[in-house]
Amino acid sequence: RATSEGQLPGAAAMGTGTPPSPSGTAFEETRLHVFTLDYPHVQIPFEITLWILLASLAKIGFHLYHKLPSIVPESCLLILVGLLLGGIIFGAEEKSPPVMNSDVFFLYLLPPIVLDAGYFMPTRLFFENFGTIFWYAVVGTLWNAIGIGISLYGICQISAFGLTDISLLQNLLFGSLISAVDPVAVLAVFENIHVNEQLYILVFGESLLNDAITVVLYNLFKSFCQMRTIKVIDIFAGIANFFIVGIGGVLIGILLGFVAAFTTRFTHKIRVIEPLFVFLYSYLSYITAEMFHLSGIMAITACAMTMNKYVEENVSQKSYTTIKYFMKMLSSVSETLIFIFMGVSTVGKNHEWNWAFVSFTLLFCLIWRALGVFVLTQIINVFRTIPLTFKDQFIIAYGGLRGAICFSLVFLLPPAVFPRKKLFITAVIVVIFFTVFIQGITIRPLVEFLDVKRSNKKQPAVSEEIYNRFFDHVKTGIEDVCGHWGHNFWRDKFKKFDNKYLRRLLIRENQPKSSIVSLYKKLEIKHAIEMAESGMISKVPSSVSLSDYHEGKIKPLSPTEMENMREILTKNLYQIRHRTMSYNRHSLAADASEKQAKEILIRRRHSLRESLRKTNSLSRDRPVLGSLWDFF
Amino acid sequence: QGSAPATSLLSLAVTSEQIEHLHRRFKQLSQDQLTIRKENFDSIPDLEFNPIRGKIVHAFFDKRNLRQESDGLAEEINFEDFLTIMSYFRPIEMNMDEEQLDRFRKEKLKFLFHMYDSDHDGKITLQEYRNVVEELLSGNPHLEKESARSIADGAMMEAASICVGQMGPDQVYEGITFEDFLKV
């Protein structure tokens, strides 16, 4: 295939002695090539595949020694692998290895990670803490950016360090790109330490929302650096730009999210490509936002959060599983690649070392972050129902990790305007390495030492759901009585609007959904599957008698057989009661007899059968269960 | 007219701003009378859609919540009683110590418990629990009553297993007492 169409076989072809001529009219023909090697033809996809394969193999390698990932987060190990690779390439070719292309990062590697995070974000917790998250993201990042910028400028003024040629604006730009907390790094580190959900959502939400302000500040200062004079109007333009970037991004995301939900309403005939729509629409929202220089991260997050609820009900169970796993796989690959590339790109000649600049950058990053979190928390605690303690504040400050986003942003700086670009690159790399390695490794022991509240992944229980719903209604009711338009009031209003208009429009078979009922059904189904798998059903009379029953050959039973059957049934009923942990059978009411208990059990099985019939995929996959229940 | 004695109110640790706001609201609800009755709650439009409306209104008149010695339901409540009920919903303050915090939490949970326990006998029986779940799910017209009952049964079993652990097949579980409620 490679040698057809007469392309160059020159250097690539092997096993031929005669160089063929381009025109083909030469007097020496080419012989048939028995074996050829044509690398340039497949170079790009080949290299991509090799990189991804290498990254995944590295991941397997880490988990072979099972204690390693719990001490050192994977991100560190991946960067080390990258460093090693970079060193090899550098040693072999004597030139700097391929730097991670910023386009590749922003257009291909970052979206899957943000999509995965946004799709599975606990929306309720996010909106409950939205004020705090927004406060930290916007004001916190501004505080950090300006603080770091100005203090670094102060340091640059000291002529002993040799930094006097870096202007205030350049320092401010540097401050703005290094102050952003990075979602990729936060995810990579927080994933293993399992702090309570509230803390996690605060740090992670901040890392997502601060993209808007980072984009604005970065572009603002970059343009300012290139402009001769700066007028007041430009500053106002900057502020206006912030609102447009943030709100515009979110609007694009929400719009495309609704379109995606609407599309999935009609996909019931072509289930196979349902997952594709989810990915296409989210990616579309990201690149549309990037096209207008709006915040792509906020767009894709908004799209994923909007889409989630409605798509989940429209697509089949299998499509949902596909979406979930494919998303996780993509984001995992992206994350691995990002860290390896960061390691690779570090090696090389892109550096300029200056003790003062680098060390003060690191110092100011830490100081301003800690100060910022402390001051901002004092202010926001006044407005919060559950105030944030010192422990929480410490973890929020310590969890402010920098990562690949500032790395890519620094590579995007135009060298003409920034003659000291290499210095910036070095400083950014030092800060990233410090936060990822030192903070990443030590945060786990610190969390344990400070006894921070951890997330408890317990079994979801129906009674818990009931209490939650009950209390929601109580809170909303009390807010109504007070005449207070609080959080619960707005959430309730949104729910009503959602039920009345949105769900009717976007969901195919719209039935009023109750979280209690769906949780109960889910648990019952899981319960039944567990029981079937644990072999309890096999204690029931053998399959021979089953097949007899099925074919209608019902022989009349003798009294002894009846007795046996009754005995088996009672014994098994008792064992079912005995072994099921959360659904222990007890006499519920004061006068419950054995009969009533059995009746309750049988009634529950009846409703389970109904729910089994309703979910198509389950009944398709487990016909055995259906017929067994029939027998029961 | 209508200004309650400040000293007893302060013991509820509600700020003066909040007291003013609630007082205005009280006057609105009571139509400038000194007391309100159950009928006055009908004038709140949004409360209509709340599935557990009955229980919420009932809670305001429940003598156990009003910290009165007797039992049963009050006919009407004045502003001080109104404030007493509202004070169950005030947020935790930073300067509370462990013991105060614990007492605070218990009070709030007791308020909830009284809402479940409608016959005032100190425990939540299966029938009362079923009643709660039915009310919660009353917004779904498609749901059969039987499903609501089976959900309540399942939840009750969960509670029993948490509170009493493994029980033999002949043991009877009376109902969830307040101690069990705390455990759950």
Side-chain angles (χ1 to χ4, degrees), chain A residues 345-353 411 422-423 425-427 429:
Chain A
S345 310
T346 308
V347 180
K349 299 198 185 123
N350 271 324
H351 300 293
E352 184 197 325
W353 185 266
F411 273 107
K422 291 191 181 172
L423 180 61
I425 293 178
T426 313
I429 288 181

Side-chain angles (χ1 to χ4, degrees), chain A residues 392-462:
Chain A
D392 295 332
Q393 291 173 39
F394 180 76
I395 297 294
I396 294 175
Y398 207 70
L401 306 172
R402 302 347 192 234
I405 291 189
C406 30
F407 192 77
S408 311
L409 282 178
V410 83
F411 273 107
L412 277 178
L413 289 176
V417 186
F418 297 89
R420 302 297 287 263
K421 180 173 164 178
K422 291 191 181 172
L423 180 61
F424 288 170
I425 293 178
T426 313
V428 164
I429 288 181
V430 169
V431 172
I432 293 178
F433 272 41
F434 183 85
T435 56
V436 172
F437 278 91
I438 310 272
Q439 285 181 232
I441 295 180
T442 53
I443 199 168
R444 171 176 270 251
L446 270 173
V447 159
E448 283 168 10
F449 175 69
L450 288 174
D451 197 26
V452 175
K453 188 163 147 223
R454 312 294 278 271
S455 75
N456 39 358
K457 292 273 157 84
K458 51 186 178 355
Q459 267 272 57
V462 178

Side-chain angles (χ1 to χ4, degrees), chain A residues 215-422:
Chain A
V215 164
V216 169
L217 280 180
Y218 182 80
N219 286 323
L220 190 75
F221 287 130
K222 197 160 82 157
S223 331
F224 279 5
C225 283
Q226 292 165 323
M227 279 163 40
R228 297 269 166 72
T229 52
I230 301 169
K231 306 201 182 90
V232 178
I233 189 97
D234 293 322
I235 305 207
F236 281 116
I239 297 178
N241 191 14
F242 164 67
F243 285 106
I244 294 184
V245 162
I247 298 180
V250 171
L251 280 178
I252 290 183
I254 293 183
L255 182 69
L256 280 171
F258 281 138
V259 174
F262 190 66
T263 313
T264 52
R265 186 178 163 171
F266 302 105
T267 54
H268 50 281
K269 295 287 165 64
I270 35 162
R271 295 273 187 200
V272 190
I273 59 170
E274 265 174 347
L276 194 61
F277 286 113
V278 171
F279 292 105
L280 285 178
Y281 278 111
S282 351
Y283 193 58
L284 192 66
S285 69
Y286 183 81
I287 46 184
T288 312
E290 287 290 319
M291 178 169 73
F292 292 114
H293 280 291
L294 305 175
S295 167
I297 290 185
M298 290 181 75
I300 202 172
T301 310
C303 184
M305 285 169 78
T306 315
M307 223 178 6
N308 187 10
K309 282 194 311 177
Y310 307 108
V311 162
E312 201 175 314
E313 289 193 39
N314 279 337
V315 300
S316 69
Q317 183 68 23
K318 286 189 177 156
S319 299
Y320 182 67
T321 313
T322 311
I323 294 174
K324 192 166 108 165
Y325 279 99
F326 200 68
M327 221 180 256
K328 297 254 171 233
M329 186 181 78
L330 273 182
S331 75
S332 178
V333 167
S334 281
E335 190 185 314
T336 317
L337 279 177
I338 288 176
F339 283 114
I340 287 195
F341 275 139
M342 271 213 298
V344 171
S345 310
T346 308
V347 180
K349 299 198 185 123
N350 271 324
H351 300 293
E352 184 197 325
W353 185 266
N354 179 308
W355 272 107
F357 192 76
V358 170
S359 45
F360 276 108
T361 305
L362 187 58
L363 193 67
F364 287 137
C365 280
L366 295 172
I367 293 180
W368 283 102
R369 172 94 185 147
L371 263 181
V373 168
F374 182 71
V375 169
L376 291 178
T377 313
Q378 298 307 314
I379 301 176
I380 199 81
N381 264 346
V382 175
F383 299 98
R384 282 180 64 92
T385 331
I386 308 174
L388 294 170
T389 62
F390 277 120
K391 268 193 230 166
D392 295 332
Q393 291 173 39
F394 180 76
I395 297 294
I396 294 175
Y398 207 70
L401 306 172
R402 302 347 192 234
I405 291 189
C406 30
F407 192 77
S408 311
L409 282 178
V410 83
F411 273 107
L412 277 178
L413 289 176
V417 186
F418 297 89
R420 302 297 287 263
K421 180 173 164 178
K422 291 191 181 172

Side-chain angles (χ1 to χ4, degrees), chain A residues 16-68:
Chain A
T16 148
T18 48
S21 69
S23 61
T25 56
F27 41 119
E28 280 208 65
E29 303 177 322
T30 56
R31 297 286 105 200
L32 194 63
H33 297 167
V34 176
F35 178 78
T36 48
L37 173 71
D38 187 5
Y39 186 61
H41 181 70
V42 295
Q43 178 169 13
I44 295 177
F46 201 84
E47 281 181 357
I48 294 177
T49 312
L50 273 186
W51 275 114
I52 299 181
L53 192 59
L54 173 80
S56 316
L57 287 173
K59 258 187 127 110
I60 298 180
F62 301 148
H63 286 275
L64 282 178
Y65 179 45
H66 62 98
K67 266 184 114 183
L68 195 59

